[in-house]
Amino acid sequence: MDSDYGVPRELSALQKARALYRPDLPPCLQGTTVKVEYGDAAIAADVAGAHVISHAFPHTYGQPLAHFLRKTAAVPDATVITEHPLVRVGVVFSGRQSPGGHNVIWGLHDAIKAHNANSKLIGFLGGTDGLFAQKTLEISDEVLSSYKNQGGYDLLGRTRDQIRTTEQVNAAMTACQALKLDALVIIGGVTSNTDAAQLAETFAESKCSTKVVGVPVTLNGDLKNQFVETTVGFDTICKVNSQLISNVCTDALSAEKYYYFVRLMGRKASHVALECALQSHPNMVILGEEVAASKLTIFDITKQICDAVQARAEKDKNHGVVLIPEGLVESIPELYALLQEIHGLHDKGVSVENISSHLSPWASALFEFLPPFIRKQIETEKLLAQLVEAEMNKRLKEGTYKGKKFNAICHFFGYQARGALPSKFDCDYAYVLGHVCYHILAAGLNGYMATVTNLRSPVNKWKCGAAPITSMMTVKRWSRGPAASQIGKPAVHMASIDLKGKPYELLRQNSSSFLMEDIYRNPGPLQFEGPGGETKPISLCVEDRDYMGRIKQLQEYLEKVKSIVKPGCSQDVLKAALSAMASVTEMLTIMSSPSFSGQATI
């Protein structure tokens, strides 16, 4: 065993109390009987890309959805699994650390041991590099004791977060075969689960007996689709950041002379920024999805902020808080294109000092315009703060701005939250997902992701299941060169904020009062018990993403129709039913065709 991993932690009194907490399980995971109901073949939501996905994943595409049931559930077609032979399961952390990751391993360990005490859980040390090198640690209750309900990934650690090249895939297969693993559980986000799907496909093609299971764990909250409502870690990150933002809001209101520009985690999607805005009520939040949809330039965004500063100054408010997602740069076309050129030149060995002379004319002009401290690494909050300050000083000199001199303070809230003690919700969710992983293994499924839906409700109403990872894939298309045809590669892609969704609508409804009224809200430090202990993400609570729940609801409606419309019913009832069903069938046929581009969001 590597001495850097799995060593007992020195726990504070609070951590010791947390370690004693044992999450509840939904009824479908209680006991030692695994009961599973299979649905129809799960096909990709990206209907246009379904052919590409099925061609790339012939062994694992089109598998059925699985729904785990309580032992007493009266479902005649359900499969009951009562035999639980000894199994050997490997687990690896992949991707950036996310609060709650340790509880996935704890839940998996407890489920494995509950069904067969002789089964083994083997952790790979140092992430995917440890998997390739076969560096392992056997997970026991003693090893887990000081990691239960705690933050970080330091039980096993992580390094590189990919299993992509032929050499890496072969090394992973060799490790699984050498260690005689019945299953490999990969804990991570969109990239890690895409790799898990590819690994599952390769294993199936090579007739390797190891099954591959993915678990949705990423602090960015961008692994969302019809089967996954949210990810482990997102709730904790947003709660910790919201407290920090709220502290800054209080400071701004007290000093009355600073504008705070706060950059938050979130690469290509702004879910963290949106959730934190709903929790803490800052004056402004710039969402990458809004910027991309409106095709805003860096100067448009600067003007937007400056106009807000001026409007607030007219009400004698010379302070404020602006939230910015980490990946905003990628949503601003001219900055993203500049970055692409710079990265290309770096790859060719061009030094930072000579970058400008090698850039295209427009990119060189933009590069020279940027402040010198920004040129090495674009820190969006500092760039915006400087541009806003320059514009406000200009307006001050011209006399078009009557407020006080503009003062900006910049922060990046990222690493402060990554190793945080997880929220109660993330502890429960992660532990339950660990148990679901065992049920997937017991059912003999390969290339699936563990899922839990109806998360808005108490744990005893959560629905547990599994969906093929390939059914979550989409095909992103782009062109290489002016005359090149479109190229697409199937992957689990990051889900952007739905600008027609309820969380965004809630933000827009309150944006004007957030901007002008300083209705800052402080949710306080993360609580495990008492007020705030049971809260869940606002964006999760206002959405209805319980896919399996809605499938069941539809089945109930269909059964009701069958019970009403049968031989002996009135002519009027029959006519009404035929007319309604014909209309619904026609509409659904159109919506499910590959040519339908206006697919409804889940």
Side-chain angles (χ1 to χ4, degrees):
M1 180 185 123
D2 192 313
S3 59
D4 293 333
Y5 299 114
V7 295
R9 286 176 163 185
E10 173 107 21
L11 300 182
S12 67
L14 174 64
Q15 287 177 297
K16 287 176 183 175
R18 274 176 153 260
L20 294 175
Y21 170 73
R22 188 180 190 85
D24 291 330
L25 288 174
C28 62
L29 300 180
Q30 292 174 8
T32 55
T33 300
V34 174
K35 193 170 189 176
V36 57
E37 175 189 17
Y38 293 103
D40 292 333
I43 58 173
D46 175 16
V47 179
H51 174 71
V52 178
I53 300 167
S54 63
H55 182 73
F57 295 88
H59 298 87
T60 52
Y61 182 75
Q63 297 186 96
L65 286 179
H67 187 213
F68 298 112
L69 308 170
R70 69 175 76 192
K71 185 179 180 180
T72 55
V75 178
D77 296 335
T79 302
V80 180
I81 299 163
T82 52
E83 295 295 317
H84 297 279
L86 181 153
V87 291
R88 292 171 60 82
V89 181
V91 62
V92 61
F93 282 130
S94 180
R96 291 197 284 183
Q97 67 204 52
S98 192
H102 285 144
N103 272 33
V104 176
I105 296 177
W106 180 24
L108 177 57
H109 171 267
D110 280 7
I112 286 171
K113 293 295 185 180
H115 290 87
N116 189 317
N118 295 317
S119 291
K120 304 285 185 188
L121 178 60
I122 297 160
F124 288 100
L125 303 175
T128 53
D129 278 357
L131 169 63
F132 307 145
Q134 300 182 35
K135 292 172 63 178
T136 63
L137 165 68
E138 185 176 335
I139 305 295
S140 64
D141 204 54
E142 184 183 1
V143 168
L144 282 165
S145 61
S146 61
Y147 292 89
K148 296 173 179 177
N149 305 313
Q150 312 298 324
Y153 271 13
D154 50 318
L155 170 61
L156 299 177
R158 47 85 48 178
T159 48
R160 263 188 312 188
D161 51 355
Q162 67 172 42
I163 313 171
R164 198 160 309 144
T165 67
T166 303
E167 292 75 19
Q168 290 169 339
V169 170
N170 288 340
M173 190 187 305
T174 299
C176 291
Q177 289 173 330
L179 295 165
K180 298 179 180 175
L181 297 184
D182 296 285
L184 175 65
V185 175
I186 296 175
I187 298 172
V190 289
T191 303
S192 303
N193 277 282
T194 298
D195 291 347
Q198 186 59 64
L199 206 59
E201 177 67 26
T202 306
F203 282 13
E205 186 177 0
S206 304
K207 296 187 169 46
C208 172
S209 60
T210 307
K211 311 298 185 188
V212 183
V213 177
V215 191
V217 180
T218 170
L219 52 85
N220 295 313
D222 53 12
L223 204 178
K224 292 173 76 168
N225 51 54
Q226 65 267 43
F227 308 115
V228 181
E229 294 182 0
T230 189
T231 56
V232 171
F234 178 72
D235 180 53
T236 304
I237 291 292
C238 293
K239 282 185 168 125
V240 172
N241 279 335
S242 293
Q243 188 210 354
L244 295 172
I245 293 162
S246 300
N247 294 348
V248 164
C249 289
T250 302
D251 186 66
L253 191 59
S254 302
E256 296 187 305
K257 61 179 180 180
Y258 297 116
Y259 269 85
Y260 287 91
F261 286 73
V262 179
R263 178 164 51 106
L264 298 167
M265 304 293 267
R267 288 173 290 171
K268 293 186 179 179
S270 310
H271 298 289
V272 172
L274 172 59
E275 177 64 28
C276 288
L278 293 174
Q279 289 194 27
S280 59
H281 302 178
N283 300 104
M284 288 185 76
V285 55
I286 311 294
L287 301 176
E289 289 83 348
E290 279 184 318
V291 170
S294 302
K295 296 182 170 59
L296 300 180
T297 67
I298 189 69
F299 305 106
D300 294 330
I301 299 168
T302 301
K303 183 179 183 302
Q304 199 176 83
I305 298 172
C306 289
D307 290 346
V309 170
Q310 188 154 337
R312 285 176 58 77
E314 288 168 7
K315 297 200 172 227
D316 292 326
K317 294 184 177 185
N318 296 288
H319 61 274
V321 178
V322 183
L323 303 189
I324 301 156
E326 185 181 25
L328 183 64
V329 169
E330 295 189 28
S331 303
I332 305 170
E334 72 275 20
L335 281 183
Y336 184 60
L338 172 61
L339 278 179
Q340 294 296 94
E341 279 201 39
I342 290 172
H343 289 157
L345 291 171
H346 278 162
D347 291 343
K348 292 177 182 176
V350 179
S351 65
V352 175
E353 294 73 24
N354 296 322
I355 284 286
S356 183
S357 60
H358 287 76
L359 291 168
S360 60
W362 73 267
S364 179
L366 178 59
F367 185 76
E368 290 301 322
F369 166 79
L370 295 175
F373 71 91
I374 286 292
R375 292 178 192 168
K376 290 185 180 179
Q377 180 184 356
I378 294 182
E379 297 173 284
T380 327
E381 76 283 10
K382 292 180 181 177
L383 174 60
L384 281 174
Q386 178 138 336
L387 293 176
V388 170
E389 183 176 0
E391 174 62 21
M392 295 318 297
N393 288 341
K394 179 184 165 200
R395 293 186 187 186
L396 196 60
K397 285 180 183 176
E398 293 171 348
T400 55
Y401 169 57
K402 309 293 185 184
K404 294 180 182 177
K405 185 177 182 301
F406 182 84
N407 296 298
I409 297 176
C410 297
H411 289 293
F412 172 47
F413 292 160
Y415 302 106
Q416 299 94 325
R418 285 202 330 201
L421 292 172
S423 67
K424 186 173 181 292
F425 172 71
D426 276 331
C427 287
D428 291 343
Y429 183 26
Y431 184 77
V432 168
L433 282 170
H435 275 260
V436 173
C437 288
Y438 175 78
H439 276 53
I440 294 172
L441 166 61
L445 304 176
N446 179 40
Y448 278 70
M449 188 186 295
T451 63
V452 180
T453 59
N454 200 30
L455 289 167
R456 297 186 302 174
S457 302
V459 174
N460 63 3
K461 293 186 178 176
W462 287 1
K463 300 182 182 77
C464 301
I469 302 174
T470 52
S471 68
M472 305 176 191
M473 288 184 166
T474 51
V475 180
K476 291 280 174 114
R477 295 170 177 83
W478 67 94
S479 295
R480 284 182 177 164
S485 59
Q486 289 188 329
I487 303 164
K489 185 176 181 182
V492 181
H493 288 103
M494 295 177 185
S496 300
I497 288 173
D498 179 5
L499 297 181
K500 294 180 182 177
K502 291 180 180 178
Y504 180 74
E505 183 186 337
L506 182 60
L507 178 68
R508 290 278 62 86
Q509 287 170 355
N510 292 281
S511 58
S512 57
S513 55
F514 284 4
L515 178 62
M516 300 304 298
E517 296 174 23
D518 292 354
I519 50 174
Y520 304 138
R521 176 179 180 270
N522 196 328
L526 190 147
Q527 302 291 312
F528 208 65
E529 295 178 337
E534 300 293 336
T535 59
K536 296 174 182 178
I538 294 171
S539 51
L540 172 68
C541 293
V542 300
E543 288 180 313
D544 180 14
R545 301 182 69 92
D546 182 6
Y547 180 82
M548 289 305 299
R550 284 186 285 175
I551 289 284
K552 290 287 182 187
Q553 189 178 14
L554 176 61
Q555 289 172 344
E556 287 169 9
Y557 277 127
L558 293 174
E559 288 300 322
K560 199 166 186 178
V561 169
K562 284 168 69 176
S563 68
I564 295 171
V565 185
K566 56 186 178 184
C569 69
S570 75
Q571 191 75 266
D572 289 341
V573 167
L574 180 59
K575 280 183 181 178
L578 279 171
S579 173
M581 295 306 283
S583 176
V584 167
T585 304
E586 183 181 359
M587 180 183 69
L588 294 178
T589 302
I590 293 169
M591 288 181 69
S592 56
S593 69
S595 59
F596 182 73
S597 57
Q599 293 171 36
T601 52
I602 298 298

